[in-house]
Amino acid sequence: MPPKKRNSGAAQNKEMKPNIKNASPDKENPDLSIEKHQEKDADFMTLCQSLQVTDAVCDRAWTIWKAVQASVDKVLDTQKRLWAACLFVAVIDLEVASFTFTQILKAVDLNVKQFLGLLKKMDVNLDTISTKVNSAVTRLEKKYDVSRALYQRTCSTIYAEDSEAKGKEILRSCWTMFLLAKGRALQMEDDLVISFHLMVCVLEFFIRRCPPSLLQPHYQSVISTAQSPPTRTSRRNQSKAKPRQAPPEVDVQLLESLCKENDCSVEEVKSVYQTSFSAFLDSMSLSGTRDLPQATDLSKQYEELYFKSRDFDSRLFLDNDETLLTPKVEPMPVERTPRKNLPEDVVLIPPQTPVRAAMNSIAQLRVDLTTSGDQPSANLAVYFKNCTVDPTEEVLQRVESLGLLFSQRFGQAVGPRCVGLGKQRFTLGIRLYYRVMESMLKSEEKRLSVQNFSKLLNDSTFHTSLLACALEVVMATYGGSTFKSAGYSNGGVPVETDLCFPWILDVFQLTAFDFYKVIESFIKAEPSLSKDMVKHLERCEHLIMETIAWREDSPLFELLKRTREEGPVEQAEPPATLNQPLQHNHTAADLYLSPVRPSSRTLPAPESTAPPSSQPSALATHQTPRHPKSNSLSLFYKKLYRLAYMRLKMLYTQLLTSHPELEPIMWTLFQHTLQNEYELMRDRHLDQLMMSAMYAICKVKNVDLRFKTIVTAYKNMPNTNQETFKHVLIREGQYDSIIVFYNLVFMQKLKTNILQYASPRPPTLSPIPHIPRSPYKFPNSPLRVPGSNNVYISPMKSPTRMSPVMTPRTRILVSIGESFGTSDKFQKINAMVNSSDRSLKRSLDMSSAPKPLKRLRFDVEGQDEADESKPAEDSRLIQKLAEIGSTRTRMQEQKMKDDAESEKDKP
């Protein structure tokens, strides 16, 4: 087996010399004292010496190693690699700068992904990896992924093939200069889009100054048309000749060519150039010069930045260094029709890369909003004027003030020179905000034949929520639909370095409970949303229900308290409806005006988890007066219960399939806690109560299931975070692990209820919720034709949504199969399609508003929500039959009870 490749050169030689000024900040004891560590392993001490750690780091790492060694059955990897992981954890926990990430990777011959994977395997106990370390690792991994994706899009298509040696030298200078610019100009180095725009600026800078012979012909022609050749000066007038003019600040034609090639927005790249990149050039004294910067100078300045950040050396991408390599993944084959049906000049879609996917998503968003303006349209203006109180002035003032706030906070997060980028993204959000608002109002006008929407359009919370949702779509498009994970500065204080959800809620000081009300209506009102964006908004809704809506200052708690104080006839969601499909007729307008209208039906008491036969006071309940009912709270709990059961089912399937009888018991305890002990959710996470309920039932049922096993399985579930089980609120200002929470809080609060499940007469089980695949209809999802197992229909895509690489010929290609048969089979398909009673409710036609799914009367008081729904004929018939059967059963059971009681009363 050949020896592993070792990199040589300046970068490699300097890498193994950690004696940099910032490498040992511990002024009192910068060196390691061997005499103090006689009891430690000699090889461990050798590793500590090579990395020049302090005594404190050495002791802390050895303590972590002993804890790991005692908690695992066998060593997961070589001791040296585990020691390195322990040293890495100790350095972050103690906030000292002993070595860089690349140095420790080289010390144990691991690449980035292997080392991060080792850290995850090592976290066998809840306290091995702290939340601070987890946050640092998350940021490090994201920065690595962004850097790797950007390196793959460097100068590979810019320089001529016969200029390999000179081209590599310029490529090294170009990449190093980009790394230096990214580190100095951006506060968020893991922002893929802004970083790529900055890279385009760097490429323009180098191409304009490169000898034309080194460039591809395309770039040679672009530069030659932009720059006229210098005129020859006669010897007589040579002394009077003016000095050679410096090149213009930016070659607009070249920049536009680069943007077109990389699917970038010219406007956004120009903004980055004029603000961030120009300021960087000024700081480097490179503005206006014709010469390329010296590679050694760039490398030296980057090295200072690298040792200050203490992460990985991105220059090593140029050397294919082992520490930055990842296993190669073969690209997915491109689907195509049978070869005999393909034309000669067909253009295959290139494989997606992170950069290309981001650029395509942004380009599609901008195309979708091309026809929308950043001012209210004529139709919206009519709706505003038809209101009892015209909201136009307040809407415009609100947009202006929130725009200034958004741009300011965007600059604080990304960089002070990126305020202009924030304004551009806000403008896109404004266009989407007005567009969706108009679509909502058109739908309501068609259903209600009403044009006066004064109550809704004068509701400030509605407008702020709708604008926040539009901006979240824009931010997620630019940010890749990711979600915020807590970050910490060097002082351990959370810092704002993430534009992901729920960042927009913090910017607008908007409560999550108010924001959730608009999500479903927003999705239904905007047919151009991609499937990924619909999933992103659905995930935002789940995050709200899981934890964000349960923050200390959430209005949800006041609403729950008020409903409980108003009497036992009002509750968030009756458990008896859990096993029914999630059907409701509420849109955003209805939810924002809730709970002003009275309820026309009475709900069971909060403790009504038992069937009607165990409720002797059922008739008396129906005689109580009606109380105001919160539609927003009712719908929130409908969705909360279904999400909670879905999470419980997922975890249960991993752990307890051999005990199927425990699942409904665990769900009953979980549902009881959410309904009656909702204060346990304050500043906590839904999954914390879920894991506690699972453990509690296993204890009373004598099933051997340790909390460690639950947590291990939980980490394998999607959309989980280690903070959920490592950082749980115990009491005000005090946090600890999920085990401590169970013992000191959960068990103490629910001990009586938990012990009932071990008694001969346990509580009645709650119904299992009906779990739909998704409440949202995706625009590109095919619908199966009734009566056929293999025929599907899909909405026709508008030309603007077609892939840019498709040609007029490839757009009309169709392949049914090699030997489909005669034309009569096509006629059968047409007959099946024409006989279908399924309508496509999410049209992709930009000019038409989406067909409303339900009817809504949000300006009429006292409407019965049962009268407002309009399901399909078959669904309505099934629902009516179920209601009739349920009512008949309740009447019969009540009659039997009354007869039994009357028999007892007889002498």
Side-chain angles (χ1 to χ4, degrees), residues 37 40 45 47 63 149 259 385 543 574 651 737 740 795 824 834:
H37 308 283
K40 298 180 177 65
M45 294 307 302
L47 179 62
T63 302
C259 291
K385 290 180 181 179
L543 278 174
L651 185 60
S737 69
V740 177
D824 60 329
N834 292 332

PDB file of all heavy atoms in Angstrom, residues 37 40 45 47 63 149 259 385 543 574 651 737 740 795 824 834:
ATOM      1  N   HIS A  37       1.925  16.149  35.415  1.00  0.00           N
ATOM      2  CA  HIS A  37       1.026  15.175  34.772  1.00  0.00           C
ATOM      3  C   HIS A  37       1.666  13.796  34.710  1.00  0.00           C
ATOM      4  O   HIS A  37       1.554  13.090  33.705  1.00  0.00           O
ATOM      5  CB  HIS A  37       0.675  15.655  33.364  1.00  0.00           C
ATOM      6  CG  HIS A  37       0.169  17.052  33.298  1.00  0.00           C
ATOM      7  ND1 HIS A  37      -1.109  17.399  33.664  1.00  0.00           N
ATOM      8  CD2 HIS A  37       0.787  18.219  32.959  1.00  0.00           C
ATOM      9  CE1 HIS A  37      -1.277  18.712  33.524  1.00  0.00           C
ATOM     10  NE2 HIS A  37      -0.133  19.231  33.095  1.00  0.00           N
ATOM     11  N   LYS A  40      -0.601  10.673  33.904  1.00  0.00           N
ATOM     12  CA  LYS A  40      -1.248  10.563  32.593  1.00  0.00           C
ATOM     13  C   LYS A  40      -0.399   9.724  31.647  1.00  0.00           C
ATOM     14  O   LYS A  40       0.811   9.585  31.819  1.00  0.00           O
ATOM     15  CB  LYS A  40      -1.503  11.949  32.007  1.00  0.00           C
ATOM     16  CG  LYS A  40      -2.446  12.804  32.841  1.00  0.00           C
ATOM     17  CD  LYS A  40      -2.656  14.159  32.214  1.00  0.00           C
ATOM     18  CE  LYS A  40      -3.654  15.008  33.014  1.00  0.00           C
ATOM     19  NZ  LYS A  40      -3.180  15.343  34.343  1.00  0.00           N
ATOM     20  N   MET A  45       0.590  12.730  26.667  1.00  0.00           N
ATOM     21  CA  MET A  45       1.394  13.910  26.958  1.00  0.00           C
ATOM     22  C   MET A  45       2.203  14.340  25.731  1.00  0.00           C
ATOM     23  O   MET A  45       2.417  15.540  25.501  1.00  0.00           O
ATOM     24  CB  MET A  45       2.324  13.642  28.143  1.00  0.00           C
ATOM     25  CG  MET A  45       1.598  13.419  29.464  1.00  0.00           C
ATOM     26  SD  MET A  45       0.434  14.750  29.858  1.00  0.00           S
ATOM     27  CE  MET A  45       1.526  16.163  29.872  1.00  0.00           C
ATOM     28  N   LEU A  47       1.198  14.017  22.642  1.00  0.00           N
ATOM     29  CA  LEU A  47       0.238  14.727  21.793  1.00  0.00           C
ATOM     30  C   LEU A  47      -0.012  16.136  22.318  1.00  0.00           C
ATOM     31  O   LEU A  47      -0.075  17.101  21.537  1.00  0.00           O
ATOM     32  CB  LEU A  47      -1.070  13.935  21.728  1.00  0.00           C
ATOM     33  CG  LEU A  47      -2.200  14.549  20.896  1.00  0.00           C
ATOM     34  CD1 LEU A  47      -1.793  14.673  19.436  1.00  0.00           C
ATOM     35  CD2 LEU A  47      -3.478  13.705  21.016  1.00  0.00           C
ATOM     36  N   THR A  63      -9.725  14.455  31.914  1.00  0.00           N
ATOM     37  CA  THR A  63     -10.971  14.176  32.639  1.00  0.00           C
ATOM     38  C   THR A  63     -12.060  13.706  31.674  1.00  0.00           C
ATOM     39  O   THR A  63     -12.799  12.752  31.964  1.00  0.00           O
ATOM     40  CB  THR A  63     -11.438  15.431  33.390  1.00  0.00           C
ATOM     41  OG1 THR A  63     -10.408  15.857  34.296  1.00  0.00           O
ATOM     42  CG2 THR A  63     -12.715  15.168  34.162  1.00  0.00           C
ATOM     43  N   ALA A 149     -17.886  24.039  -1.316  1.00  0.00           N
ATOM     44  CA  ALA A 149     -18.759  24.289  -2.462  1.00  0.00           C
ATOM     45  C   ALA A 149     -18.239  25.442  -3.308  1.00  0.00           C
ATOM     46  O   ALA A 149     -18.294  25.401  -4.545  1.00  0.00           O
ATOM     47  CB  ALA A 149     -20.181  24.583  -1.979  1.00  0.00           C
ATOM     48  N   CYS A 259     -21.677  37.009 -14.183  1.00  0.00           N
ATOM     49  CA  CYS A 259     -22.975  36.777 -13.541  1.00  0.00           C
ATOM     50  C   CYS A 259     -23.866  35.891 -14.399  1.00  0.00           C
ATOM     51  O   CYS A 259     -24.559  35.006 -13.889  1.00  0.00           O
ATOM     52  CB  CYS A 259     -23.667  38.113 -13.269  1.00  0.00           C
ATOM     53  SG  CYS A 259     -22.868  39.114 -11.999  1.00  0.00           S
ATOM     54  N   LYS A 385     -59.473  51.350  -0.340  1.00  0.00           N
ATOM     55  CA  LYS A 385     -60.440  52.455  -0.356  1.00  0.00           C
ATOM     56  C   LYS A 385     -61.840  51.983   0.030  1.00  0.00           C
ATOM     57  O   LYS A 385     -62.654  52.776   0.525  1.00  0.00           O
ATOM     58  CB  LYS A 385     -60.469  53.094  -1.739  1.00  0.00           C
ATOM     59  CG  LYS A 385     -59.204  53.875  -2.074  1.00  0.00           C
ATOM     60  CD  LYS A 385     -59.274  54.491  -3.463  1.00  0.00           C
ATOM     61  CE  LYS A 385     -57.998  55.252  -3.796  1.00  0.00           C
ATOM     62  NZ  LYS A 385     -58.051  55.835  -5.162  1.00  0.00           N
ATOM     63  N   LEU A 543     -41.677  24.037  14.168  1.00  0.00           N
ATOM     64  CA  LEU A 543     -40.798  24.639  15.173  1.00  0.00           C
ATOM     65  C   LEU A 543     -41.576  25.514  16.145  1.00  0.00           C
ATOM     66  O   LEU A 543     -41.299  25.539  17.341  1.00  0.00           O
ATOM     67  CB  LEU A 543     -39.708  25.469  14.487  1.00  0.00           C
ATOM     68  CG  LEU A 543     -38.498  24.720  13.950  1.00  0.00           C
ATOM     69  CD1 LEU A 543     -37.602  25.669  13.169  1.00  0.00           C
ATOM     70  CD2 LEU A 543     -37.716  24.082  15.084  1.00  0.00           C
ATOM     71  N   PRO A 574     -60.955  19.179  21.793  1.00  0.00           N
ATOM     72  CA  PRO A 574     -61.520  17.989  22.431  1.00  0.00           C
ATOM     73  C   PRO A 574     -60.821  16.727  21.957  1.00  0.00           C
ATOM     74  O   PRO A 574     -60.693  16.501  20.754  1.00  0.00           O
ATOM     75  CB  PRO A 574     -62.980  18.015  21.976  1.00  0.00           C
ATOM     76  CG  PRO A 574     -62.977  18.792  20.710  1.00  0.00           C
ATOM     77  CD  PRO A 574     -61.883  19.810  20.841  1.00  0.00           C
ATOM     78  N   LEU A 651     -40.348   7.890  17.640  1.00  0.00           N
ATOM     79  CA  LEU A 651     -39.416   7.426  18.665  1.00  0.00           C
ATOM     80  C   LEU A 651     -39.809   6.048  19.180  1.00  0.00           C
ATOM     81  O   LEU A 651     -38.942   5.195  19.415  1.00  0.00           O
ATOM     82  CB  LEU A 651     -39.376   8.440  19.813  1.00  0.00           C
ATOM     83  CG  LEU A 651     -38.365   8.181  20.931  1.00  0.00           C
ATOM     84  CD1 LEU A 651     -36.941   8.162  20.388  1.00  0.00           C
ATOM     85  CD2 LEU A 651     -38.500   9.238  22.030  1.00  0.00           C
ATOM     86  N   SER A 737     -29.787  18.543  32.393  1.00  0.00           N
ATOM     87  CA  SER A 737     -30.117  17.525  31.404  1.00  0.00           C
ATOM     88  C   SER A 737     -31.577  17.093  31.533  1.00  0.00           C
ATOM     89  O   SER A 737     -32.273  17.416  32.505  1.00  0.00           O
ATOM     90  CB  SER A 737     -29.203  16.318  31.568  1.00  0.00           C
ATOM     91  OG  SER A 737     -29.512  15.639  32.773  1.00  0.00           O
ATOM     92  N   VAL A 740     -32.447  15.214  34.812  1.00  0.00           N
ATOM     93  CA  VAL A 740     -32.701  16.068  35.976  1.00  0.00           C
ATOM     94  C   VAL A 740     -34.085  16.694  35.867  1.00  0.00           C
ATOM     95  O   VAL A 740     -34.824  16.798  36.860  1.00  0.00           O
ATOM     96  CB  VAL A 740     -31.611  17.152  36.090  1.00  0.00           C
ATOM     97  CG1 VAL A 740     -31.903  18.082  37.260  1.00  0.00           C
ATOM     98  CG2 VAL A 740     -30.233  16.514  36.240  1.00  0.00           C
ATOM     99  N   PRO A 795     -50.219  19.432 -12.707  1.00  0.00           N
ATOM    100  CA  PRO A 795     -50.502  20.772 -13.240  1.00  0.00           C
ATOM    101  C   PRO A 795     -49.500  21.123 -14.324  1.00  0.00           C
ATOM    102  O   PRO A 795     -48.317  20.793 -14.221  1.00  0.00           O
ATOM    103  CB  PRO A 795     -50.339  21.689 -12.019  1.00  0.00           C
ATOM    104  CG  PRO A 795     -50.429  20.779 -10.839  1.00  0.00           C
ATOM    105  CD  PRO A 795     -49.908  19.464 -11.286  1.00  0.00           C
ATOM    106  N   ASP A 824     -56.278   3.436 -29.396  1.00  0.00           N
ATOM    107  CA  ASP A 824     -57.444   3.275 -28.519  1.00  0.00           C
ATOM    108  C   ASP A 824     -57.057   3.352 -27.051  1.00  0.00           C
ATOM    109  O   ASP A 824     -57.874   3.707 -26.203  1.00  0.00           O
ATOM    110  CB  ASP A 824     -58.144   1.947 -28.805  1.00  0.00           C
ATOM    111  CG  ASP A 824     -57.225   0.758 -28.573  1.00  0.00           C
ATOM    112  OD1 ASP A 824     -56.008   0.918 -28.771  1.00  0.00           O
ATOM    113  OD2 ASP A 824     -57.738  -0.300 -28.195  1.00  0.00           O
ATOM    114  N   ASN A 834     -60.977  12.589 -18.212  1.00  0.00           N
ATOM    115  CA  ASN A 834     -62.180  13.409 -18.293  1.00  0.00           C
ATOM    116  C   ASN A 834     -63.202  13.026 -17.239  1.00  0.00           C
ATOM    117  O   ASN A 834     -63.997  13.860 -16.802  1.00  0.00           O
ATOM    118  CB  ASN A 834     -62.805  13.274 -19.675  1.00  0.00           C
ATOM    119  CG  ASN A 834     -61.940  13.902 -20.756  1.00  0.00           C
ATOM    120  OD1 ASN A 834     -61.193  14.835 -20.486  1.00  0.00           O
ATOM    121  ND2 ASN A 834     -62.037  13.390 -21.979  1.00  0.00           N
TER     122      ASN A 834
END
